[in-house]
């Protein structure tokens, strides 16, 4: 199966001045782990979490471990990452995450 990789723009939500949109890489590798997606933020920050969590979080608040996802209004979604050093909030356009999820469904390995 092929890897799905999609580039998106997102906003890192901070209490400082808005840094503007930053590049983010959304990645799904069905051969490595068909149940997880990865979000690569600028720098060495990459998070791996359940694809189902991302899907659920687009409809209603959802969390698993150090990751929370929730809709923010009608057109945006927030992904919140917790570490020992603090919290990172990343705001996406929901349509970018939906498009990415749809692409992952077609790349899923066939079991059976």
């Amino acid at each position: 199966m092929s890897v799905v990789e999609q580039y998106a723009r997102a906003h890192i939500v901070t209490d400082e001045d808005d840094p503007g949109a930053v590049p983010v890489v959304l990645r799904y590798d069905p051969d490595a782990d068909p149940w997880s997606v990865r979000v690569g933020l600028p720098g060495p920050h990459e998070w791996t979490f359940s694809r189902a969590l991302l899907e659920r979080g687009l409809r209603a608040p959802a969390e698993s471990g150090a990751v929370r996802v929730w809709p923010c209004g009608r057109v945006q979604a927030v992904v919140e990452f917790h570490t020992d050093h603090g919290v990172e909030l990343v705001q996406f356009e929901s349509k970018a995450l939906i498009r990415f999820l749809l692409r992952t469904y077609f790349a899923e390995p066939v079991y059976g």
Side-chain angles (χ1 to χ4, degrees):
M1 293 277 114
S2 61
V3 172
V4 173
E5 193 168 87
Q6 178 176 312
Y7 295 88
R9 307 280 300 162
H11 288 269
I12 307 293
V13 180
T14 69
D15 56 357
E16 299 172 10
D17 291 335
D18 181 7
V22 297
V24 176
V25 178
L26 306 169
R27 187 174 170 84
Y28 174 71
D29 185 345
D31 293 325
D33 184 354
W35 312 113
S36 296
V37 294
R38 294 191 310 204
V39 175
L41 302 175
H45 307 281
E46 183 173 88
W47 290 83
T48 301
F49 58 95
S50 163
R51 179 173 68 165
L53 173 65
L54 181 59
E55 183 179 344
R56 283 191 322 270
L58 290 173
R59 295 187 305 270
E63 71 177 278
S64 178
V67 180
R68 295 180 181 145
V69 182
W70 68 88
C72 180
R74 298 177 58 96
V75 297
Q76 296 179 330
V78 173
V79 182
E80 179 179 303
F81 303 105
H82 290 255
T83 70
D84 293 338
H85 305 291
V87 177
E88 199 160 24
L89 291 171
V90 184
Q91 189 174 41
F92 291 89
E93 285 192 22
S94 297
K95 66 182 178 182
L97 297 177
I98 292 168
R99 184 174 39 249
F100 171 68
L101 281 172
L102 289 173
R103 292 180 63 209
T104 70
Y105 300 141
F106 290 107
E108 243 182 312
V110 177
Y111 297 105

